[in-house]
Amino acid sequence: QSEKQLQDLVKQQDNKITQLIDHSAEVKRLEADVSQLKRLLKHAETESKTLWQELRLQEPKVDTTPVQERILLRQQVDKLRQLMLDKDDEKWRISKKY
């Protein structure tokens, strides 16, 4: 009986180790994703600043409100797209668990 209990304990420990390995791999993947997103954000911010400077130099009297509105709308669409991707990832992780 104690041998069976030991086997059960070993099996539980193996399951826990497997879960930890899976979580570790997922954390590493997410960290890489965050790093890539930060690089992309910096790139986009630099592009945005440059474009605004170009726009101001070319036509100082131009009303930039429509451009700002378009930028805001694109940012909101990007946020919504990211939320959708996050939900898809979450669904995938849950389906993988079960």
Side-chain angles (χ1 to χ4, degrees):
Q1 184 179 2
S2 55
E3 188 175 321
K4 185 178 179 181
Q5 288 176 343
L6 283 174
Q7 287 176 348
D8 288 343
L9 284 174
V10 167
K11 189 175 180 180
Q12 288 176 3
Q13 290 298 324
D14 284 344
N15 288 339
K16 287 181 182 180
I17 289 172
T18 303
Q19 286 177 348
L20 287 174
I21 290 170
D22 288 345
H23 287 251
S24 176
E26 186 176 340
V27 166
K28 287 180 182 178
R29 184 183 65 81
L30 290 173
E31 287 174 344
D33 288 350
V34 166
S35 178
Q36 181 183 8
L37 288 172
K38 284 181 179 178
R39 282 193 301 272
L40 289 172
L41 177 62
K42 283 190 175 241
H43 180 72
E45 287 173 344
T46 302
E47 273 187 19
S48 174
K49 287 178 185 176
T50 303
L51 289 173
W52 276 111
Q53 288 172 356
E54 291 283 325
L55 184 61
R56 285 189 198 128
L57 290 174
Q58 289 178 2
E59 298 287 335
K61 296 180 182 179
V62 171
D63 181 22
T64 59
T65 304
V67 175
Q68 290 174 338
E69 288 175 358
R70 284 186 68 191
I71 289 173
L72 181 62
L73 288 173
R74 284 182 187 234
Q75 288 172 343
Q76 290 174 345
V77 167
D78 288 342
K79 286 179 187 178
L80 290 173
R81 188 175 291 128
Q82 185 60 45
L83 285 173
M84 185 181 71
L85 291 173
D86 291 345
K87 288 296 178 185
D88 287 345
D89 285 348
E90 186 178 338
K91 286 179 186 176
W92 178 79
R93 277 187 244 123
I94 289 172
S95 66
K96 184 181 172 187
K97 274 187 178 180
Y98 298 103

